Amino acid sequence: MYPSHQHSLSDAGPTTVSNRVPLIFRRLHRFQQMDFELAFWQLTYLCLAPRRVYKNVYYHKQTKNTWARDDPAILVLLLGALVGASVGWSIAYSLAPLDALRVVLLMIVRDYLLVGALMATIVWFFANRVLVSPSNHSSPTDSSVEWAYAFDVHTNAFFPFYLTLYIAQLLLLPVVLRDNWVCLWVGNTLYLVGFAQYVYGIYLGLNALPFLIRTEILLSPLLPLFASYVLSLLGFNVAKNALHAYFGS
């Protein structure tokens, strides 16, 4: 069960199992109430100027009494994008219908939802234990990271990662699978960029919260990431090995 978080007044009520599910998931069926225009704007600026997406976080807290977004439109768009990517990869690898369905489930359930739940839990726990300013511990309701917000941060960080490793890599597939150093460099650089974008996205999301300090710690994975990238250029094709593990060919 996910850690509980605050809900808007419209969803207030007795604490139940369903109320502990993040609000963004409980509203997935309310398509008519979703603001897809805002969600598309957010996805665009997550690539162009990601800091702008977090400028309204404090305003959202003041008006909705929660740091986490309550509109699942961005979730719907991202799930649709993952379905589109899975279709593209299935065509590229000439997969049978059942294998193509397996890829859809892998990308949505494992890559985005399960990894996202794990990352959100790690970020939620680490931020509340290590990054919260000591002066704010007296008011934990207003000065703690909600699990749902940590999942939002994962969602925001995942989209540039998705564009790099699910779309750009697909378009460059004939290049990254070739056996020469230049193609190895292209493929490995894609993975460096994708994971660096994700790490930076997590940092931006928590850095936007006014009660957190030392958020620069969240950038520390960039050092081993870059070191691993440099070592991989000696002859380890990250893209080829990752795709072999994913598709088995």
Side-chain angles (χ1 to χ4, degrees):
M1 187 179 297
Y2 301 140
S4 61
H5 61 280
Q6 290 186 323
H7 311 299
S8 64
L9 294 178
S10 61
D11 286 80
T15 300
T16 64
V17 173
S18 62
N19 281 344
R20 290 183 178 272
V21 175
L23 187 59
I24 193 173
F25 290 109
R26 287 188 280 126
R27 290 184 171 180
L28 273 174
H29 64 286
R30 304 181 184 179
F31 286 98
Q32 294 181 343
Q33 299 178 16
M34 297 182 191
D35 190 344
F36 287 102
E37 183 178 351
L38 175 60
F40 185 79
W41 178 90
Q42 289 178 334
L43 290 177
T44 300
Y45 275 92
L46 283 172
C47 302
L48 301 178
R51 289 182 181 273
R52 290 192 60 179
V53 177
Y54 290 106
K55 283 188 174 181
N56 293 327
V57 166
Y58 187 75
Y59 174 76
H60 190 273
K61 171 65 176 176
Q62 296 298 104
T63 57
K64 301 294 184 69
N65 197 33
T66 176
W67 295 105
R69 61 168 58 97
D70 54 358
D71 184 354
I74 195 170
L75 192 65
V76 173
L77 291 179
L78 187 51
L79 294 179
L82 284 168
V83 171
S86 65
V87 171
W89 282 101
S90 299
I91 293 173
Y93 276 88
S94 302
L95 299 181
L98 286 179
D99 290 328
L101 179 60
R102 170 182 167 274
V103 172
V104 174
L105 293 176
L106 281 178
M107 289 188 176
I108 292 178
V109 177
R110 185 189 66 183
D111 297 0
Y112 173 61
L113 294 176
L114 292 183
V115 172
L118 176 61
M119 288 302 303
T121 301
I122 293 172
V123 167
W124 167 80
F125 181 83
F126 181 79
N128 285 323
R129 289 300 182 92
V130 178
L131 303 181
V132 173
S133 174
S135 61
N136 287 307
H137 282 298
S138 59
S139 54
T141 300
D142 294 325
S143 301
S144 63
V145 179
E146 305 159 355
W147 188 93
Y149 180 79
F151 190 85
D152 279 353
V153 172
H154 158 72
T155 296
N156 293 343
F158 185 84
F159 185 64
F161 177 88
Y162 158 84
L163 291 179
T164 301
L165 293 183
Y166 290 73
I167 301 302
Q169 185 178 206
L170 175 60
L171 298 176
L172 293 172
L173 190 60
V175 175
V176 300
L177 292 181
R178 288 186 179 180
D179 291 317
N180 62 68
W181 189 87
V182 173
C183 294
L184 178 148
W185 172 77
V186 171
N188 291 10
T189 301
L190 279 177
Y191 278 80
L192 170 69
V193 171
F195 281 98
Q197 287 173 318
Y198 186 82
V199 171
Y200 183 64
I202 296 294
Y203 159 74
L204 284 182
L206 295 189
N207 189 57
L209 298 181
F211 54 85
L212 296 185
I213 59 175
R214 302 187 302 271
T215 52
E216 296 79 12
I217 296 174
L218 297 167
L219 295 174
S220 58
L222 292 178
L223 184 57
L225 176 65
F226 184 75
S228 300
Y229 166 74
V230 173
L231 291 176
S232 72
L233 296 180
L234 297 177
F236 183 78
N237 191 318
V238 177
K240 180 178 289 189
N241 283 275
L243 292 175
H244 176 73
Y246 210 104
F247 296 101
S249 60

